[in-house]
């Protein structure tokens, strides 16, 4: 990774630490030193494997990891996300939009 890319990743990571701590205080307050940073670093890499690379899309992906756990998309509770994450016909933004819609309308509101 070149120096500029590393700098941008560090800035994004710092911004995400602040955002996730504010948005998910219960989940992040129980994390030990370095765990949130590890979640962000691993989450960015995992998102990239699903072609989720836009900054806002990665942010949403990380939010789901904090909300549902590191195994988001692989646990029995979140296996539904796999149909979107592994769909090669969707862009990264489309994948995250579909996940947002499913999470809101099916998981939260219970509409099929």
């Amino acid at each position: 990774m070149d120096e500029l890319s590393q700098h941008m990743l560090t800035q994004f990571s710092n911004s995400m630490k602040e955002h996730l701590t504010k948005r998910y205080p219960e989940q992040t307050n129980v994390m030990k030193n370095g765990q949130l940073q590890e979640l962000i670093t691993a989450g960015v890499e995992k998102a990239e494997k699903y072609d989720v690379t836009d900054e806002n899309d990665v942010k949403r992906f990380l939010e789901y990891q904090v909300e549902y756990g590191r195994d988001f998309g692989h646990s029995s509770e979140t296996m539904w996300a796999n149909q979107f994450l592994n769909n090669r016909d969707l862009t990264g933004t489309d994948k995250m939009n579909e996940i947002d819609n499913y999470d809101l309308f099916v998981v939260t509101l219970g509409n099929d």
Side-chain angles (χ1 to χ4, degrees), residues 18-29:
E18 185 177 330
H19 169 73
L20 294 171
T21 301
K22 286 180 182 175
R23 181 152 184 189
Y24 301 98
E26 290 180 27
Q27 293 93 327
T28 56
N29 285 340

Side-chain angles (χ1 to χ4, degrees), residues 30-89:
V30 298
M31 293 182 179
K32 295 183 174 120
N33 286 344
Q35 284 184 314
L36 183 55
Q37 178 60 51
E38 289 172 19
L39 181 139
I40 292 168
T41 301
V44 168
E45 291 173 5
K46 189 180 285 187
E48 190 172 9
K49 290 179 184 176
Y50 294 121
D51 296 323
V52 175
T53 56
D54 177 80
E55 187 172 323
N56 287 325
D57 298 334
V58 175
K59 176 181 175 182
R60 292 191 287 169
F61 184 83
L62 291 170
E63 290 173 344
Y64 281 111
Q65 283 205 300
V66 172
E67 187 173 340
Y68 287 110
R70 286 180 181 241
D71 58 350
F72 173 69
H74 299 286
S75 69
S76 58
E77 180 185 5
T78 63
M79 193 59 73
W80 54 266
N82 253 332
Q83 66 185 308
F84 307 116
L85 292 171
N86 289 313
N87 187 334
R88 296 195 182 274
D89 293 330

Side-chain angles (χ1 to χ4, degrees), residues 89-108:
D89 293 330
L90 297 176
T91 66
T93 298
D94 290 340
K95 290 175 184 187
M96 295 313 301
N97 289 343
E98 291 294 331
I99 288 170
D100 285 345
N101 288 334
Y102 190 96
D103 184 56
L104 174 62
F105 293 111
V106 178
V107 176
T108 304

